[in-house]
Amino acid sequence: ILDGKYQILVNPYPIFKHHYTIPSLTHTPQSIDARIIDMLKIAKDYAPYTIFYNGAHCGASAPMHMHFQMVEGGLMPIEDEWRECEERVLNDTMFDSKLSLLIGLHRPIFLITSYDEYGAKGLFDELYKVLPAQPDNEPMINVIARYEHSQWIILVFPRAKHRPDCYYATDESQCLISPASVEMGGLFITPRQEDYEKITSQKILDRYREITPSSDEIENIAQQLYKTL
């Protein structure tokens, strides 16, 4: 697809009935920098499927090789929840492209909606630049993208941590959850039955708080975007 840049493969460890991996045919590390436009084109070409990206330190199954994933649309709660959510708009919307911070969803989420792929790319690039990153590494993020009603919808989940402490615990508090795009989208996958049985809604909220930037850090990002946009 995309003139031979990627291929579509059946995911070897699917968590949905229709679950695909879209690896780059060029062996490069997992990084969405300069590839967001590819993600948008795939989302449009394969609508109504949902495309997602896991950062190298945010749940990517193969962090050494660039890839997206594609699943049936509408399976993650966030795909509907954002529509009813309060938005804090961070840019001038005169060009039909909007960047917002969603309010009240228990973890920070930036939303980009646009009828123009380059308008969407421009806002994503500005957000990408102000998110904190380590030297030689991209910002820690998960990204979900869809195309519907002639509009791109991009949900960006900033991260502060790869896995919660419970993942590494050696006592009864151990819970092997390693949040990636699907979990940030509201659907938690547990690899063991014992993890499923012990997890609660409060524990999920606690894990969200543990692995995402603080409210002060998000406010700083929002203020930088205000100044830029």
Side-chain angles (χ1 to χ4, degrees):
I1 61 176
L2 295 187
D3 298 320
K5 290 182 69 174
Y6 303 86
Q7 64 181 154
I8 298 178
L9 303 173
V10 174
N11 192 295
Y13 302 102
I15 56 177
F16 300 103
K17 183 176 180 180
H18 300 288
H19 189 168
Y20 304 94
T21 299
I22 308 176
S24 168
L25 292 179
T26 302
H27 183 55
T28 56
Q30 183 80 335
S31 174
I32 201 171
D33 188 25
R35 290 185 184 260
I36 185 62
I37 203 72
D38 293 347
M39 189 178 192
L40 299 180
K41 290 180 182 294
I42 294 168
K44 182 178 181 181
D45 289 346
Y46 290 89
Y49 278 82
T50 294
I51 316 301
F52 62 87
Y53 168 85
N54 293 323
H57 303 289
C58 302
S61 55
M64 74 297 295
H65 189 99
M66 175 61 204
H67 65 284
F68 298 108
Q69 293 185 60
M70 180 168 70
V71 300
E72 298 169 82
L75 297 180
M76 289 177 271
I78 192 61
E79 294 181 75
D80 290 318
E81 288 175 340
W82 73 265
R83 305 173 200 277
E84 307 299 326
C85 189
E86 179 183 351
E87 298 180 34
R88 177 182 171 187
V89 180
L90 302 175
N91 73 304
D92 185 333
T93 60
M94 65 178 295
F95 296 111
D96 278 340
S97 296
K98 181 173 66 174
L99 171 59
S100 304
L101 178 62
L102 297 181
I103 307 299
L105 289 177
H106 306 292
R107 71 278 199 200
I109 307 172
F110 290 94
L111 167 71
I112 297 170
T113 56
S114 179
Y115 292 95
D116 176 76
E117 62 185 335
Y118 289 97
K121 177 185 182 301
L123 290 177
F124 179 86
D125 289 345
E126 292 298 328
L127 174 59
Y128 187 93
K129 286 191 295 187
V130 300
L131 292 173
Q134 299 296 320
D136 301 321
N137 285 305
E138 71 174 1
M140 295 182 68
I141 51 173
N142 301 103
V143 185
I144 296 173
R146 289 181 51 76
Y147 184 80
E148 55 184 50
H149 307 302
S150 302
Q151 179 179 232
W152 279 274
I153 299 157
I154 309 168
L155 295 155
V156 181
F157 303 83
R159 297 283 296 274
K161 191 174 182 179
H162 186 184
R163 291 171 172 143
D165 290 344
C166 65
Y167 186 91
Y168 304 102
T170 57
D171 56 19
E172 67 279 357
S173 67
Q174 184 187 64
C175 186
L176 297 183
I177 56 172
S178 183
S181 290
V182 172
E183 287 77 16
M184 298 307 292
L187 184 61
F188 269 71
I189 306 300
T190 58
R192 306 181 304 183
Q193 182 175 345
E194 62 191 89
D195 297 328
Y196 176 81
E197 292 173 348
K198 73 172 63 170
I199 202 165
T200 65
S201 58
Q202 185 58 53
K203 287 180 179 178
I204 288 174
L205 296 181
D206 290 343
R207 298 297 85 77
Y208 275 150
R209 282 191 287 269
E210 184 180 352
I211 65 172
T212 57
S214 68
S215 56
D216 287 344
E217 290 170 316
I218 294 299
E219 179 60 29
N220 181 54
I221 292 167
Q223 291 299 326
Q224 290 184 67
L225 289 168
Y226 272 131
K227 295 175 183 177
T228 303
L229 303 175

